[in-house]
Amino acid sequence: MDKIQNSYNWDSYQITKLENKHEISKKAKRDGMGDEPKSNSERFSVTENEIKLECDTYLEKHANGLREFLQKIEEKQNQLSGYLKQNHFQPIINRLEADFNTLANEKKIKLADHKNSYDTYLEEKNQFKRYHQISREPNSATLGTTFKAAGLIFFLLIIEVLANSTILSGSMPGGLAEGLAVSGSVAFINVFISAFIGFYVIKKFNHLEKPKRFFNMFLGSIYFVIISYINLSLGAYRSLAEKSLNAQITGKLDNEQINAILKQAVTPWNVEFSFVGLILTFVGLSFAFISIVDGLIYNDSYPGYGKVGQRVNQYKDLVKKIFHEYADEVSKLFSNYNQKLQEKLNELLNNDLNNWDANTNLIQKEFITYEAKVNDLEEKTLHMVDEYREENKRVRKSEPPKYFSKKFEINLDKKDPKKVFPDVAFHYMSDENREKSKLNYSNDIDQKFKKSEASCEQIQKKSEDLQKELHENYNV
């Protein structure tokens, strides 16, 4: 809540201007020469009443203006006083408890769901183990092992394409471009198809059921013959092409020679391999074997066992993730609300309480200023009245009225601001009382803050107990 920034502005009470306005000296001389007011008079003369009226008008005008100004301060002070007495920390604690309960219930529901799924898939895994007579745990694929397996396949593919294209480019009529095309096709078969065969066919060599095992052994044998034949034929073609190129002067084969070499390469067992041809065949078969093994061991070497284990691991990881999320989110929750409590404390002490203090001090200043202004007004009015009386006495023939000897004074009830502004007087305080009240407010706020901290610690203890309970009931 804001404080009142400005003070009340008093108009200047100018004696000279008023003396000229009412012609005090002239009227005093005129009245005195006519022996007015009478010696036995007890009432002010017309001129004295005019002077008094100026005083009363000025005082009434500014008393009303100041009253309106003080009412604004009073409204602020009433709001601030009530505001400072409220417990602004309890709503924060209530929101903290509500947010914690929401968070805890959400995590508890998720943990219950994940634990049920985990138990279901764990039982499926155990049934799979019993049926397939497996005693070990599955070597299930993870994101990391998937990246490694895929990375190995791509690495082998690139190496084989580069190596084969370099070896074949010299014996291809299309040069490097045709060498890349042929080597890419063979590398795709050696690497990707071999990995596919390793995963879907070779892996089933371990299957408990004999029909499936023997059928996939048959398929694997066929693939081994095919992949061996492809790589031997490629090596044979490279060996024959190399031999023909060495016999040529131009270093280039014509179409008839290429067709003849292709016909001979179809029967690689009848071809005498060169060293480079052997290297080409060895590289192709080696990369095919590595790819088959990569596919075989990826997601466990027993067919289907890795997938069963993945489901179990998936929900096991999800349960662990929820535990970590609970710890992190609860920590952030309490950190956030502790910060809110501290911010509210600082706001109350450094803003609202200081504004209350400033407004209370402003009321005190306005009261003091009022007294000073009224005293000054009284002195200036007395000066004009005395000026009138002295001139009147100087020229008159009769004795002056007795009341001339009595000083002009403003009524005491109008001089005391506590009586003039009784509604605001409640908020008027001396420096000592103001500091005492401010300290009381500060101590009250501090006590409420400490209670809120204790409540926060109780909720934090509740969160720790719940965390232990969740671990006991849902840990896997």
Side-chain angles (χ1 to χ4, degrees):
M1 292 188 176
D2 299 331
K3 64 181 178 181
I4 303 296
Q5 299 290 344
N6 55 326
S7 300
Y8 179 74
N9 186 30
W10 288 75
D11 296 334
S12 175
Y13 195 73
Q14 300 177 358
I15 296 179
T16 304
K17 185 176 180 180
L18 292 173
E19 287 176 341
N20 293 333
K21 174 183 176 182
H22 294 284
E23 299 178 329
I24 294 176
S25 179
K26 180 179 178 181
K27 290 180 180 180
K29 186 179 293 185
R30 184 195 63 192
D31 291 345
M33 293 178 68
D35 288 331
E36 292 293 338
K38 301 298 182 182
S39 299
N40 60 353
S41 177
E42 296 181 355
R43 296 181 179 180
F44 280 6
S45 66
V46 173
T47 304
E48 287 176 304
N49 279 322
E50 289 176 353
I51 296 171
K52 183 177 181 299
L53 181 61
E54 289 285 352
C55 172
D56 293 341
T57 302
Y58 176 86
L59 182 57
E60 183 178 1
K61 171 188 173 183
H62 288 87
N64 291 334
L66 181 58
R67 183 175 291 105
E68 292 179 3
F69 178 77
L70 290 173
Q71 284 175 351
K72 295 178 181 178
I73 304 178
E74 181 192 12
E75 291 176 3
K76 285 288 184 183
Q77 287 303 85
N78 288 334
Q79 293 174 7
L80 277 168
S81 297
Y83 187 77
L84 290 171
K85 291 176 182 178
Q86 296 173 15
N87 189 342
H88 298 280
F89 306 109
Q90 190 58 46
I92 298 177
I93 294 298
N94 293 340
R95 290 197 300 272
L96 167 61
E97 188 167 18
D99 288 349
F100 167 73
N101 290 333
T102 301
L103 172 64
N105 290 335
E106 176 188 337
K107 299 304 177 186
K108 193 171 183 179
I109 292 171
K110 287 185 176 180
L111 281 172
D113 290 341
H114 294 335
K115 182 64 164 57
N116 289 336
S117 298
Y118 171 82
D119 291 339
T120 299
Y121 287 118
L122 180 63
E123 181 57 30
E124 286 185 10
K125 186 191 81 170
N126 292 333
Q127 289 179 358
F128 190 96
K129 286 174 67 176
R130 288 192 294 269
Y131 177 81
H132 293 274
Q133 301 176 12
I134 304 173
S135 58
R136 61 177 178 83
E137 289 298 310
N139 183 23
S140 300
T142 62
L143 186 61
T145 58
T146 300
F147 276 122
K148 288 179 181 178
L152 176 61
I153 295 299
F154 280 105
F155 175 75
L156 293 176
L157 178 66
I158 292 171
I159 295 299
E160 184 168 0
V161 169
L162 293 175
N164 289 357
S165 61
T166 302
I167 294 172
L168 289 172
S169 60
S171 59
M172 290 290 175
L176 181 60
E178 190 171 349
L180 279 171
V182 174
S183 62
S185 301
V186 175
F188 179 81
I189 295 173
N190 283 340
V191 177
F192 276 106
I193 300 301
S194 294
F196 180 86
I197 293 297
F199 185 81
Y200 287 102
V201 177
I202 306 301
K203 187 175 290 194
K204 292 180 181 176
F205 287 9
N206 300 320
H207 204 284
L208 179 68
E209 299 176 7
K210 290 182 179 181
K212 289 183 180 180
R213 185 166 71 243
F214 291 147
F215 176 72
N216 282 279
M217 283 182 177
F218 172 72
L219 293 179
S221 300
I222 292 175
Y223 181 74
F224 178 74
V225 171
I226 293 172
I227 198 69
S228 299
Y229 178 77
I230 291 173
N231 282 281
L232 285 170
S233 297
L234 189 63
Y237 175 83
R238 183 60 181 84
S239 300
L240 292 169
E242 182 182 354
K243 185 177 180 180
S244 297
L245 284 169
N246 290 336
Q248 291 288 329
I249 298 175
T250 60
K252 185 175 181 181
L253 299 176
D254 56 30
N255 289 334
E256 291 183 3
Q257 290 173 316
I258 292 172
N259 289 332
I261 290 171
L262 287 173
K263 289 179 181 180
Q264 294 181 59
V266 173
T267 56
W269 47 85
N270 294 326
V271 176
E272 184 180 350
F273 278 73
S274 67
F275 177 74
V276 176
L278 287 173
I279 292 297
L280 186 61
T281 302
F282 176 76
V283 169
L285 291 175
S286 297
F287 281 20
F289 175 77
I290 294 172
S291 299
I292 288 172
V293 173
D294 189 46
L296 169 66
I297 64 175
Y298 175 72
N299 207 18
D300 202 87
S301 58
Y302 193 89
Y305 194 33
K307 188 175 182 180
V308 172
Q310 275 183 317
R311 295 195 190 100
V312 177
N313 292 339
Q314 175 188 354
Y315 286 97
K316 184 176 182 180
D317 292 339
L318 285 173
V319 168
K320 290 181 179 179
K321 181 182 178 183
I322 296 299
F323 283 137
H324 287 302
E325 286 179 353
Y326 176 86
D328 291 342
E329 292 179 22
V330 165
S331 177
K332 290 178 182 178
L333 183 70
F334 282 104
S335 176
N336 180 39
Y337 275 94
N338 282 328
Q339 183 179 351
K340 287 182 179 180
L341 287 171
Q342 191 62 50
E343 287 175 353
K344 178 54 69 174
L345 175 66
N346 294 335
E347 179 186 336
L348 288 169
L349 294 179
N350 301 328
N351 186 20
D352 298 313
L353 184 57
N354 283 344
N355 289 346
W356 175 90
D357 183 64
N359 288 344
T360 305
N361 188 50
L362 181 59
I363 292 174
Q364 182 189 27
K365 287 172 60 178
E366 293 298 338
F367 273 36
I368 294 172
T369 300
Y370 177 84
E371 290 178 334
K373 290 290 184 180
V374 172
N375 289 333
D376 180 67
L377 174 65
E378 186 180 58
E379 289 179 7
K380 289 178 178 179
T381 303
L382 174 63
H383 173 79
M384 288 187 288
V385 169
D386 286 347
E387 181 180 341
Y388 170 84
R389 289 174 180 176
E390 290 299 324
E391 183 64 20
N392 184 284
K393 286 190 294 184
R394 189 180 69 80
V395 299
R396 71 183 294 135
K397 298 176 182 177
S398 61
E399 291 292 324
K402 291 183 179 180
Y403 77 84
F404 269 24
S405 61
K406 186 179 179 182
K407 288 176 58 178
F408 172 81
E409 292 180 341
I410 296 175
N411 191 296
L412 290 176
D413 290 342
K414 293 184 178 181
K415 294 174 71 173
D416 186 356
K418 295 179 183 178
K419 294 181 178 179
V420 178
F421 314 109
D423 294 338
V424 188
F426 172 78
H427 295 288
Y428 172 82
M429 297 181 187
S430 64
D431 289 340
E432 181 181 355
N433 289 336
R434 188 180 78 252
E435 289 298 324
K436 184 178 180 181
S437 296
K438 183 178 180 181
L439 182 61
N440 289 337
Y441 276 126
S442 179
N443 290 336
D444 182 58
I445 292 169
D446 188 59
Q447 288 178 0
K448 291 172 181 173
F449 176 74
K450 289 179 179 177
K451 288 181 180 179
S452 70
E453 284 188 315
S455 299
C456 186
E457 290 175 359
Q458 290 177 356
I459 300 173
Q460 201 160 8
K461 178 64 169 58
K462 179 182 176 182
S463 75
E464 294 171 358
D465 294 339
L466 180 60
Q467 188 174 24
K468 292 178 182 177
E469 178 185 338
L470 294 177
H471 273 281
E472 290 174 359
N473 295 334
Y474 301 108
N475 195 23
V476 294

